Amino acid sequence: MPMVDIDWLKEHVEVPGDLTYPQLAKDLVRVGLEEEEIHQSTVTGPIVVGYVVDALPEPQKNGKVINWCHVDVGDAYNAVDDDGKKVPRGIVCGAPNMAAGEKVVVTLPGAVLPGDFKIEPRKTYGHLSDGMCASERELGLGSDHNGIILLRQYGFTDQEYEALKPGDDAMALLHMDNPVLEINITPDRGYAFSYRGVAREFHHSTGAAYTDPVMELNKALPQAADRSDQAPIEVRIEDDNPIHGVPGCDRYYVRSVQGYQPGSATPSWMRRRLTRAGMRSISLPVDVTNYVMLDLGQPLHAYDADKIEGPIVVRRARQGERLTTLDGKDRELSTEDLLITDSPKGEAGSRILGLAGVMGGLYGEVTDQTRNILIESAHFDQVTIARSARRHKLPSEASKRFERGVDPQMQPAAAQMAARLLQEFGGARIDATPLDLDRTTPMPTIDFKPSEVARLTDLDTDRDRIVAILEDIGCEVDSGAGQVLSVRPPSWRPDLGEACDLVEEVARLVGYDRIPINIPSAKVTGEVGLTDRQLRKRWVADTLAEYGLTEVLDYPFVGRQDLTAFGYDPDQEEAVSVELANPMAADRPFLRRVLMLPLANTVARNLRRGNTNVSLYEIGYIFVRDPKAPAVPTLSGGTRPSDEQLAQLDAGLPEQRLHVAALLTGLAQDDGWLKDHRPVDWTDAVESARRVLDRVGAHYRLEQPEADQVPAQWHPGRTAQVVLDDGTPVGMVGELHPRVIAELGFPEHSSAFELDLDGIFDHLDFSPLQAKPISTFPPVRQDLAFTVPVSVTADQLASAIREAAGTSLESIELFDVFTGEQIGQDAKSLAFAVTFRAPDRTLTSEDSEALRSAIVEKASGLGAQLRA
Amino acid sequence: MAEVEFDPAAVTDEVSEGIGEIREASDLEELKALKSRYSGAGSAMARASRAIGSLSADRKKTAGQLIGKLRADFGRAYGLKEGQLQQEEEDRRLRAERVDMTLPVDRKPQGARHPLTRLMEDVEDFFVSMGWRIAQGPELEAEWYNFDALNFGPDHPARQMQDTFYVKGNQARDAAGFVGSNMVMRTHTSPDQARSLITRGVPLYVACTGRVFRTDELDATHTPVFHQCEAIAVDEHLTMADLKGVLDKLAAAMFGPEARTRLRPSYFPFTEPSAEMDLWFPDRKGGPGWIEWGGCGMVNPNVLRSAGVDPDKYSGFAFGVGMERTLLLRHDINDMHDLVEGDVRFSQQFEMGE
């Protein structure tokens, strides 16, 4: 994101003399330009200008040649000889460009350079080197490390160079001691990707006087009378593949300069500003194009005019075309890529010069031989450039600006500015005649009711103030008669398309802090509060935490290894799993179909960390892919789709159901010194699942499948299915299969449940429970022990008892389960304590005898026999 | 029948001797022995009682009165001492039963809610208290709801693969790239703005908490799966002033009565005007200060149009805050890993108040 240098900002707006960077950041954020960072200088002095009095080359044994130099650094810093006289400092310098008579940058003992590089006197090559002559890189000013900085070549004018005296503060000279502000630009404000834009915003924030540099440059454009009818080059825009119907290029503007003096130096101020913006100084023509881009926001391209053969054709790439870009990478082009091409041997558009608005190619660039230059100042479509930059992973300075939107009316001004700079510093002549292929259209006007400001923001702003603000941001406002203003936004604000956009402009310039504060009262219509499902979801979470489990929130991503560990057939599962196109981890591309899988990984992580008795639960969504689901349609925004289209959107979405799952490991009861430890087993899973089911009010039973019907995740003999009264299965509970437990490295008998909460909620009617009256007549208790075949479940027998006892049954409690020789193989004993109580009378002994026989008879249907 | 000797002085002496010994008794056993010695069959009192029957009628009366008084005196002394000794013995026994009440007793393992889900419930309760409803939308969402309905154009940078999890669809399953299913893991809870507007209509006051997904690597401040709370109100006459009011109230509910918010101009496709929202956080480590907390603005007319709501008649505001960020700030948590890794020690500290 762009850097803001106060020294540069001053060019366009009257900056207070005492403006600090923190204050600048505050001023800009108020109007929406957010501070990213204030980059502080990491360099401390003394760093001064030095005059090289003598430099004696001394070849070394290692083949290197060093210079033993004496450098005058001014009286304040010079050394003192035996007679107490000030003399130049002795400094060893290995740079090949060191020479007597040069003015250089000397870092003196005590200075600290980037990377915490402390300068100290040191003995080297047989001398005491009392300071260091610095390169650009050592000072953090750039990447050049081929030699030390020679101030003679640093772009000062002759007078400026003459004026440099030994001992002058080089940090101030090169602006090394200044911080610089980096700001963030939101995607709607492409114009602020320039000093032109930032200066305007500073003006909006502070009221400081602002001059639009483009307006000034436009005044200096050659008048029609000065132009010839000889355009510098012919240009054709031939876009046969526009994206969303928008041509890739709607303006192509060229200025030509001739007689440029190769090797002309970039002036020091420009070099310094580029460096502080994070750009490297390369050559005057390249530096000028970069400088204009940073200043105005218009990316430019400079071509060697003698290498370009007209016409220039702006076109899309053809299938199979390739380009080696300036960074040396060979790229396969897409038919969406927009190209700048020229026409050698009269073959129009046959040679690719560059990827428009993104990066140039190797041919046609300005070199150190170039004398005649074509300056391309064009306007490209945001989407075209954005796609190309992303496709080729080339977020260049140019593409960043084009994809946010460049002012389509500033191309002449930008080219003018570049030509002027090449004239001034490169001795070039400017050709007065431009080429301007302009297919841009004016910004449409917006009908704007000033009352919209109050309607959306509650700001009390009068019409005159609103008009003044809109004009200040560059709008043309027709404020004639009537309620409605006709507002034409400035060319650099493509984001202003609707009344609400103008409201934001008014509000942010008046100040969001001026908006009053009000607490709206929601219109309560229909139901209030949480829904029955939302409430029950919370109850489930609380119930399990109270039961002793810990809630977690897992990533919902699973992979083959998770499926395999749980004994699933991965191929079968993956066929019905939702798959991400771009997963975080390539080995976990699927979305969970059960919560248990990610939950197991979290349990494992806890166990690896030495946590014991890890029992976790999660409430979350699972995703089920329907291989026959219809496609989700592509619809555009801005209008309400039909009900049918909305139904199609939802029909294509995979099913997403709210589940709760728990995994229990370790000790269910662990009372330390009391020595009453009990490992988790299936009973804990059943009890916790029952608590959840009872808490939400589900009517359910557990059905235990035959061993060969039990899914591979579960222990074949210790697993039950949770079934609602109407037969809907809503979950599983039991002990994990020993193989799964071993695979996961869990303690033996680790147990689990997983319930489909949506399935359970779907079958609740959420009506209030209808309470039974409480009988005050005495109870009759009976113990009934039955011998039953092992295949008969406790639940089946209890249900039979309940059914037989009818309304007189108050409670039934299993108090003993017994297997053994006395009973015989394939049988077990189940003993129940049964309590009867009538609502309206005391039960007689005849009554209880009749109930007992009814129960025994009913139980015999299951093969149960009452034990004596 | 020979008259048995009745000696009032002797029986009185013996009883008072007995009462004296009872007062000195040191335990219940000794006390019982004294009782049988001084009131048992062989005692002076028993002998005297038996002798009364043979006394003359006039002597009988005074002798009976004497014996009655002696019995009562003896019984009173005995009862008093018995109560005293019982009390002492109980005291002794209970003292012996003393235990170390500081012994740790944790039969059931400690369970815990995740602080993040609890925070989301707090946020939901805040909105419910203002009369709003809570909505939930799908995590795997149609692109139309996640982007198009929210005024993200087809080429908006957020729609790129580096930010958004795209989902393979049935139709694209065998094609290269798989993009084009028109489904994504929702990148924000904002699709519920559109869903709520479409299914509930206006006036609308709805908040939604939920999971969202972005392709950020897990580090100290990012996680690819995180949670947001989205709020949207659309009605006649709603303005940014109402937005500011609700934000300030929420800030106070989450961070204490001194907390408040401020707005900075910003940009989101689904709001216009848009703002970044900063929180004045009085309990910030290192001193109170402003901290970025979320994004907000007035619902963009295109969002209203996408839901069939007339933007000239209705206006509304929307905002979103990150739940992880809120939790990190509130509890001075420095590392996102703690929130996502599910280490039981992390959540349990919130239950135990450590």
Side-chain angles (χ1 to χ4, degrees), chain A residues 34 244 387 455 498 504 512 515 518 523 534 542 551 554-555 579 581-582 605 609 634 638 670 673, chain B residues 104 106 112-114 117 134 155 164 166 168 170 182 211 223 235 242 244 274 292 305-306 311 341:
Chain A
E34 190 185 45
H244 305 315
R387 288 193 183 179
R455 186 176 80 97
E498 270 202 88
E504 179 177 270
Y512 280 6
I515 296 171
N518 178 58
K523 286 200 189 90
Q534 287 163 350
D542 286 337
E551 187 181 27
D554 298 304
Y555 291 172
E579 186 177 0
N582 53 336
R605 184 180 307 121
R609 291 184 180 180
T634 307
D670 176 14
W673 61 276
Chain B
D106 295 302
R113 296 290 311 276
H114 196 286
T117 55
I134 307 301
D155 278 282
T164 302
Y166 279 84
K168 296 184 184 182
N170 292 334
N182 290 332
R211 279 195 142 184
T223 160
D235 203 339
D242 301 302
K244 287 175 88 169
S274 298
E292 262 189 50
R305 287 182 198 116
S306 295
E341 284 178 344

Side-chain angles (χ1 to χ4, degrees), chain B residues 267-321:
Chain B
Y267 170 78
F268 302 104
F270 41 101
T271 49
E272 188 77 27
S274 298
E276 289 281 356
M277 185 239 308
D278 293 335
L279 165 75
W280 177 258
F281 183 27
D283 299 325
R284 192 176 75 157
K285 284 277 143 76
W290 292 104
I291 293 177
E292 262 189 50
W293 193 29
C296 59
M298 298 302 288
V299 179
N300 190 297
N302 270 332
V303 176
L304 297 176
R305 287 182 198 116
S306 295
V309 174
D310 178 1
D312 293 326
K313 184 171 180 207
Y314 290 94
S315 57
F317 60 84
F319 65 85
V321 289

